[in-house]
Amino acid sequence: MSRISHIELDDRNLPPPTPEIEQERKVAIYDLIEQNSFTLPSREDRGLPDGPYHLGLAIRDKRLVFDINTESGEKAAEFHLSLSPFRQVVKDYYQICESYFTAVKTMPPSQIETIDMARRGIHNEGSRVLQERLAGKAEVDTDTARRLFTLICVLHFGG
């Protein structure tokens, strides 16, 4: 039961997302709920409640907040990550996504494929950074990290 069963993004103070960003968000949440691996490592000083978990993601005071509760509402963990390590990769990801969305409308498939490969590479880099930042706090597999990185980008869009 080491998984996320519900995700809530706290985007109250963010501008409304573009249709493309909203679509990315919906797909990431759907895919994440369908299949993910999310484990809280045990601590010497206290036991941790078992999942599945409800995950709240927010940006507060220029920090990424993971608020993790059990399905019954019991607090499982909360941790805050600096956004600094994500800034450049999020910026690069948005730039390549803009190129991709433009390319889909005007370019031939071969050029779209090239841009999409670059987009996936940057996305992989973002998920790697996330896994490094989560070390010791939560363990996630690569696919879970990729989808969480997408949600971080959605939050960072206005953060």
Side-chain angles (χ1 to χ4, degrees), residues 1-3 38 48-53 69-71:
M1 298 307 283
S2 296
R3 61 184 300 279
F38 187 91
L48 291 172
D50 293 327
Y53 302 107
N69 295 294
T70 64
E71 288 194 317

Side-chain angles (χ1 to χ4, degrees), residues 136-154:
K137 297 172 182 67
E139 297 169 13
V140 297
D141 65 8
T142 301
D143 287 339
T144 301
R146 284 177 55 82
R147 293 170 184 132
L148 286 171
F149 176 71
T150 299
L151 296 178
I152 291 167
C153 288
V154 168

Side-chain angles (χ1 to χ4, degrees), residues 26-36 147:
K26 286 179 181 177
V27 169
I29 289 174
Y30 177 83
D31 288 347
L32 199 52
I33 297 301
E34 286 297 307
Q35 183 174 353
N36 68 78
R147 293 170 184 132

Side-chain angles (χ1 to χ4, degrees), residues 12-66:
R12 289 175 283 177
N13 298 321
L14 301 178
T18 65
E20 293 88 359
I21 298 297
E22 183 62 25
Q23 180 63 22
E24 291 276 323
R25 171 185 172 158
K26 286 179 181 177
V27 169
I29 289 174
Y30 177 83
D31 288 347
L32 199 52
I33 297 301
E34 286 297 307
Q35 183 174 353
N36 68 78
S37 174
F38 187 91
T39 305
L40 295 173
S42 60
R43 304 259 187 236
E44 291 179 18
D45 58 338
R46 64 184 171 96
L48 291 172
D50 293 327
Y53 302 107
H54 286 202
L55 172 63
L57 285 176
I59 293 180
R60 290 189 210 121
D61 300 323
K62 298 184 180 182
R63 299 187 67 78
L64 177 64
V65 178
F66 281 72

Side-chain angles (χ1 to χ4, degrees), residues 36-105:
N36 68 78
S37 174
F38 187 91
T39 305
L40 295 173
S42 60
R43 304 259 187 236
E44 291 179 18
D45 58 338
R46 64 184 171 96
L48 291 172
D50 293 327
Y53 302 107
H54 286 202
L55 172 63
L57 285 176
I59 293 180
R60 290 189 210 121
D61 300 323
K62 298 184 180 182
R63 299 187 67 78
L64 177 64
V65 178
F66 281 72
D67 185 13
I68 304 148
N69 295 294
T70 64
E71 288 194 317
S72 65
E74 178 185 358
K75 178 68 104 183
E78 180 176 308
F79 42 88
H80 301 231
L81 304 177
S82 171
L83 287 171
S84 297
F86 295 101
R87 288 198 199 289
Q88 188 61 50
V89 72
V90 168
K91 181 180 176 184
D92 293 346
Y93 185 67
Y94 269 111
Q95 288 175 339
I96 198 74
C97 283
E98 284 182 29
S99 297
Y100 176 78
F101 294 135
T102 300
V104 167
K105 298 173 188 170

